[in-house]
Amino acid sequence: MNRNTIKVALIGNPNVGKTSVFNELTGLNQQVGNYPGITVEKKVGFAKLSEYTKATILDLPGTYSLNASSMDESVVIELLMNKNDKDFPDVAVVVSEVENLKRNLLLFTQIKDLEIPTILVINMADRMIPKGISLDIPFLEKELKTKIALVSSRKKIGIDNLKQLIINYKELSTEPCLNASSIDPEYFNSLRRAFPNQLLYKLWLVITQDVNFANLHRKKIEENSFAKPKADLKRLQQKETIKRYQFINDTLKVGYKVDKTTATDFRERLDRVLTHKIFGYVIFFGILMLIFQSIFDWSSIPMDFIDETFAVLSSYAKTHLPAGILTDLISEGIIPGLGGIIIFIPQIAFLFLFISVLEESGYMSRVVFLMDKIMRKFGLSGKSVVPLISGTACAIPAIMAARNIENWKERLITILVTPFTTCSARLPVYAILISLIIPDKRVFGLFNMQGLTLMTLYLLGFGMAIFSAYILNKILKIKSHSYFVVEMPGYKIPMFKNVAINVVEKTKSFVFGAGKIILALSVILWFLGSHGPDKTFHDAENIIETQLQNKTISGEKDDLVASYKLENSYIGIIGKSIEPVIRPLGYDWKIGIAVVSSFAAREVFVGTLATIYSVGSHSDEETTIKNRMAAEVHPITGKKIFNVATGVSLLLFYAFAMQCISTLAITKKETNSWKWPMIQLVFMSGFAYTVSLIAYQLLK
Ligand code: GDP
């Protein structure tokens, strides 16, 4: 790193507009990753402060204080405690918000105690006039021993001043603004004597929470004679907080004035409606329905376009490149694999567009307030409603939407159970199976039985998601505090820049994160489906030709070859070899092949069956896949293959099984480990197997 690059850390409570300030400073020069070993998102941006000076800006997770109660908060503490960390900042920029300055300053005074050069940003300055707020900046700067940048990231005011303050960070005072050790002078003195070379406030942080830093470990302090019991420490910590608030109150009494007559009660009136016991839910579900309807409708246009474009590309590659394995790999493996990634982009973009707008406007906090009580019973958060319902479109964007859940345990549970909700890829599978086994009749002359079955399957998926969440909540031993923040941000018109950057960032992180895995897995599945070990696979054309000439079979030659190849491919062999395992569920090897190949994506099930059943399509009336399936009989018993028992068993299997590599890929990406997708795979598929087994054995 060049000497003129300043390392800046942005710190602040949630909802103060930290991301907006970050976006103003860095624009699109952002990189998103994870902190090593954990799932907390790490955002770094680059800013040009002047002609000669650049800055790397680390956007730290929102935190209320330096008393860690979540993984996000410990990231902040651990970084600020460790001077040897490569990200340790030259200057800390604490972002606060003019309407909630009092609460925001708690964190600021704690950071000052770490003796890092600190700038205070007071954001949302545009709210001062409507709210009748006035500030005495010179007084505040003097009391808080800092430089203040009064900013409105919405109106793009004050950013240049902030840049200037960062450039001149060496002039900042590193003096704490209050003396926290006066809460128990004797104790702090003994600490100072025992560790004369350490910063007192750092020692205190190490003692009061589960962090270590540099060469100082908790144990070393706890072994000392002056160690205090936990309860005493907690009491002292509370005393510290009170002391800080006393200082803040005294300072703001002089430096912060509100003219009450200008404050409006618009927010309160809106809150009353949006969090109302009945209307609140009605409005929320109305908005949700609107969102998901639009996701379905709007994204189907670009999705169809992407689908067609990749089909054209694939056949173009096939006809224009020299025939051979490489061309096959490109046209049948890589191009469709890439298509399989890009096809998700419209849904991801639309979903995050809506979510950002809901978040930005302040409405999401009301949703959490509304739904939290219900969802918490199942180990979920109020915000889990969004992923669970988005899951009906597709689990990929839905699982990504769980990022909005701050609490790691709730987020993990949401990620794990979301694939149970009925996604749109299950629809074609359900549709064909239902049309085969459920009569198109009405019950009570009113409800269509096929429709009822479909609805039951949706409810089953949703019920299972909630039920597994409940179980996971009981068995997962993850320490995480969940605190309910009653304070709500004000309503705001969403800022276009924030929404746009969020959408771009989420899409990028999907394409480059989960995309790699999806591509690799689709190429593997392609290989298994289009290659076989025996000569019979390679001689497919000749074999079918001979059989056609001998009239031992009949039908379209191309279909017969495709079907023959599939049967003798690796996937075909796997499908056949699992027959003993799936026979108790009522499936034959043909269904086995379809189940294995639909692991790429559930809807492939129908296409694979169409290919396999092209064998024996004698008459015109059996040309549709549905008719072919209906006509399929067991070679020995002569019974129909797709009878009610097998059909129900298959429906249940697809309702519960984790039949989607893309979902596994996104779970891997979002949880940063292979452990959770594997658990998902084993649990969901194991459960699906058991339920289908029971259903088939009862019904047959
Ligand atoms: P973060 O949670 O601290 O990262 O905050 P965000 O940047 O997501 O902003 C929270 C909300 O405050 C959003 O609705 C923003 O549109 C809004 N916001 C951000 N900066 C300003 C500002 O300068 N003025 C006003 N009025 N609203 C702002």
Side-chain angles (χ1 to χ4, degrees):
M1 199 178 298
N2 144 347
R3 238 187 311 144
N4 282 337
T5 303
I6 304 172
K7 283 188 278 181
V8 180
L10 275 190
I11 310 163
N13 293 11
N15 275 315
V16 293
K18 193 164 58 62
T19 310
S20 312
V21 173
F22 180 68
N23 288 344
E24 277 314 313
L25 286 172
T26 63
L28 269 176
N29 295 318
Q30 303 184 359
Q31 280 174 1
V32 184
N34 273 329
Y35 287 93
I38 48 172
T39 46
V40 178
E41 206 168 76
K42 178 177 180 178
K43 279 208 286 192
V44 186
F46 307 94
K48 195 168 171 191
L49 302 177
S50 74
E51 203 174 328
Y52 306 106
T53 326
K54 291 195 202 110
T56 54
I57 302 186
L58 180 62
D59 185 17
L60 286 165
T63 171
Y64 287 101
S65 69
L66 288 187
N67 311 325
S69 60
S70 74
M71 203 146 63
D72 284 10
E73 291 182 332
S74 26
V75 165
V76 179
I77 298 167
E78 271 168 38
L79 173 68
L80 296 181
M81 299 272 277
N82 187 2
K83 276 209 160 87
N84 299 323
D85 193 307
K86 68 173 181 15
D87 291 328
F88 186 82
D90 296 315
V91 52
V93 173
V94 179
V95 184
S96 66
E97 184 242 303
V98 73
E99 284 184 69
N100 288 300
L101 200 53
K102 181 170 148 187
R103 173 162 53 91
N104 299 162
L105 283 179
L106 178 75
L107 177 67
F108 172 83
T109 64
Q110 287 185 312
I111 289 173
K112 280 292 280 176
D113 281 10
L114 290 173
E115 302 186 2
I116 303 170
T118 307
I119 297 170
L120 177 65
V121 169
I122 302 181
N123 189 27
M124 307 203 193
D126 53 295
R127 305 290 299 154
M128 289 172 65
I129 295 174
K131 291 283 167 180
I133 298 170
S134 57
L135 297 174
D136 182 345
I137 299 281
F139 175 81
L140 291 176
E141 284 187 335
K142 190 170 127 276
E143 290 299 304
L144 300 172
K145 301 200 170 57
T146 188
K147 285 284 174 198
I148 293 177
L150 194 58
V151 166
S152 164
S153 46
R154 172 172 298 245
K155 298 265 154 77
K156 314 203 184 322
I157 298 169
I159 299 289
D160 286 337
N161 179 31
L162 172 60
K163 286 184 179 172
Q164 211 51 50
L165 290 177
I166 296 175
I167 293 175
N168 300 325
Y169 76 94
K170 287 193 177 133
E171 294 165 14
L172 293 164
S173 147
T174 52
E175 212 183 319
C177 43
L178 76 161
N179 175 13
S181 58
S182 68
I183 48 175
D184 188 342
E186 201 181 316
Y187 179 67
F188 277 86
N189 276 333
S190 56
L191 261 183
R192 198 195 308 271
R193 276 196 300 275
F195 302 94
N197 299 325
Q198 301 287 359
L199 190 61
L200 203 53
Y201 192 60
K202 277 192 189 172
L203 285 170
W204 175 237
L205 284 179
V206 173
I207 295 168
T208 46
Q209 48 210 314
D210 298 326
V211 290
N212 299 314
F213 76 94
N215 47 13
L216 192 58
H217 289 271
R218 264 173 79 84
K219 280 239 153 44
K220 228 158 126 187
I221 303 177
E222 281 170 351
E223 281 157 8
N224 272 293
S225 55
F226 53 80
K228 277 184 186 289
K230 264 219 149 74
D232 286 0
L233 288 176
K234 271 260 156 318
R235 219 166 301 131
L236 269 185
Q237 222 178 358
Q238 280 159 5
K239 230 171 137 182
E240 178 200 338
T241 308
I242 294 170
K243 187 164 172 67
R244 287 186 191 280
Y245 272 127
Q246 271 167 357
F247 166 77
I248 294 166
N249 276 339
D250 291 346
T251 310
L252 292 186
K253 217 179 269 166
V254 182
Y256 184 98
K257 295 259 157 47
V258 186
D259 176 4
K260 285 272 191 288
T261 53
T262 36
T264 59
D265 65 347
F266 165 75
R267 173 184 157 163
E268 274 128 63
R269 267 184 302 185
L270 201 53
D271 267 351
R272 230 173 293 151
V273 181
L274 293 182
T275 58
H276 188 268
K277 262 192 273 181
I278 298 161
F279 302 128
Y281 293 100
V282 174
I283 293 171
F284 176 49
F285 281 101
I287 292 178
L288 273 183
M289 286 305 122
L290 211 72
I291 291 179
F292 298 114
Q293 192 57 37
S294 336
I295 292 179
F296 265 116
D297 282 355
W298 297 353
S299 40
S300 70
I301 302 165
M303 282 171 87
D304 289 345
F305 175 74
I306 293 167
D307 214 14
E308 275 165 33
T309 310
F310 276 86
V312 170
L313 269 179
S314 166
S315 68
Y316 182 85
K318 215 176 171 63
T319 45
H320 285 75
L321 294 175
I325 172 92
L326 194 63
T327 300
D328 286 351
L329 171 67
I330 294 171
S331 66
E332 291 167 12
I334 294 180
I335 295 179
L338 285 176
I341 299 164
I342 295 175
I343 195 114
F344 289 118
I345 291 180
Q347 286 192 341
I348 290 174
F350 278 125
L351 182 61
F352 279 99
L353 176 75
F354 288 118
I355 290 183
S356 317
V357 169
L358 293 189
E359 286 246 301
E360 278 271 305
S361 63
Y363 180 63
M364 200 60 110
S365 309
R366 277 74 189 177
V367 171
V368 175
F369 176 80
L370 204 63
M371 300 301 300
D372 227 54
K373 244 211 269 151
I374 308 173
M375 301 305 277
R376 206 164 286 286
K377 291 200 182 104
F378 303 102
L380 297 166
S381 132
K383 289 190 182 176
S384 310
V385 179
V386 178
L388 283 181
I389 294 181
S390 329
T392 52
C394 174
I396 312 295
I399 285 177
M400 290 176 71
R403 284 191 195 172
N404 287 357
I405 304 167
E406 290 87 8
N407 178 298
W408 168 238
K409 185 174 175 185
E410 289 165 3
R411 182 172 156 206
L412 179 65
I413 294 181
T414 310
I415 291 175
L416 292 179
V417 306
T418 293
F420 273 123
T421 48
T422 304
C423 65
S424 53
R426 284 174 173 103
L427 265 182
V429 181
Y430 286 172
I432 197 149
L433 289 171
I434 289 178
S435 71
L436 275 175
I437 59 161
I438 307 287
D440 188 9
K441 287 201 193 116
R442 292 182 182 274
V443 266
F444 310 124
L446 203 63
F447 303 107
N448 176 306
M449 276 176 68
Q450 297 189 331
L452 276 182
T453 313
L454 189 63
M455 194 179 84
T456 311
L457 286 163
Y458 268 88
L459 290 178
L460 217 63
F462 194 70
M464 190 56 199
I466 297 283
F467 176 69
S468 342
Y470 180 78
I471 302 288
L472 283 169
N473 186 35
K474 294 264 177 270
I475 56 177
L476 281 182
K477 293 273 170 284
I478 295 176
K479 230 177 49 182
S480 67
H481 300 258
S482 183
Y483 45 88
F484 192 58
V485 183
V486 191
E487 209 147 353
M488 293 198 204
Y491 292 102
K492 296 179 188 86
I493 309 258
M495 280 159 69
F496 175 76
K497 189 169 186 173
N498 286 355
V499 174
I501 287 185
N502 193 19
V503 169
V504 171
E505 188 190 275
K506 291 295 183 316
T507 312
K508 254 175 44 190
S509 102
F510 166 75
V511 172
F512 298 107
K516 282 186 292 209
I517 309 172
I518 297 178
L519 183 62
L521 292 176
S522 355
V523 169
I524 293 173
L525 273 180
W526 158 78
F527 178 83
L528 296 178
S530 58
H531 291 77
D534 300 335
K535 260 182 64 176
T536 44
F537 179 86
H538 304 286
D539 288 346
E541 298 234 359
N542 294 336
I543 294 171
I544 293 296
E545 187 87 47
T546 325
Q547 289 184 347
L548 276 173
Q549 276 165 7
N550 296 343
K551 300 225 175 350
T552 44
I553 53 168
S554 61
E556 274 289 320
K557 187 184 154 201
D558 285 351
D559 289 349
L560 292 172
V561 172
S563 157
Y564 185 84
K565 278 192 157 174
L566 186 57
E567 190 186 331
N568 289 288
S569 69
Y570 290 106
I571 282 196
I573 293 165
I574 300 172
K576 279 187 177 173
S577 65
I578 60 168
E579 201 178 1
V581 183
I582 57 175
R583 203 178 301 126
L585 310 188
Y587 313 159
D588 63 0
W589 62 266
K590 294 181 180 182
I591 300 179
I593 293 177
V595 166
V596 175
S597 59
S598 73
F599 196 60
R602 292 179 177 90
E603 68 271 23
V604 169
F605 178 77
V606 182
T608 308
L609 285 181
T611 307
I612 301 181
Y613 288 135
S614 62
V615 175
S617 51
H618 311 279
S619 61
D620 286 347
E621 127 205 11
E622 283 165 20
T623 46
T624 69
I625 160 80
K626 182 185 156 190
N627 290 339
R628 282 185 212 153
M629 286 167 74
E632 190 71 11
V633 287
H634 195 278
I636 300 165
T637 59
K639 278 208 235 156
K640 272 191 186 284
I641 294 279
F642 288 95
N643 51 30
V644 172
T646 303
V648 170
S649 162
L650 266 174
L651 282 175
L652 290 173
F653 187 81
Y654 274 88
F656 297 132
M658 170 46 104
Q659 280 289 99
C660 180
I661 44 169
S662 307
T663 304
L664 290 176
I666 198 75
T667 304
K668 149 78 177 67
K669 166 82 181 30
E670 297 295 293
T671 59
N672 214 359
S673 109
W674 278 107
K675 174 178 160 196
W676 298 112
M678 286 305 122
I679 288 179
Q680 228 171 11
L681 176 67
V682 172
F683 175 72
M684 290 181 69
S685 303
F687 182 77
Y689 184 89
T690 316
V691 173
S692 305
L693 177 73
I694 295 172
Y696 180 74
Q697 295 300 332
L698 287 179
L699 290 172
K700 75 170 178 187

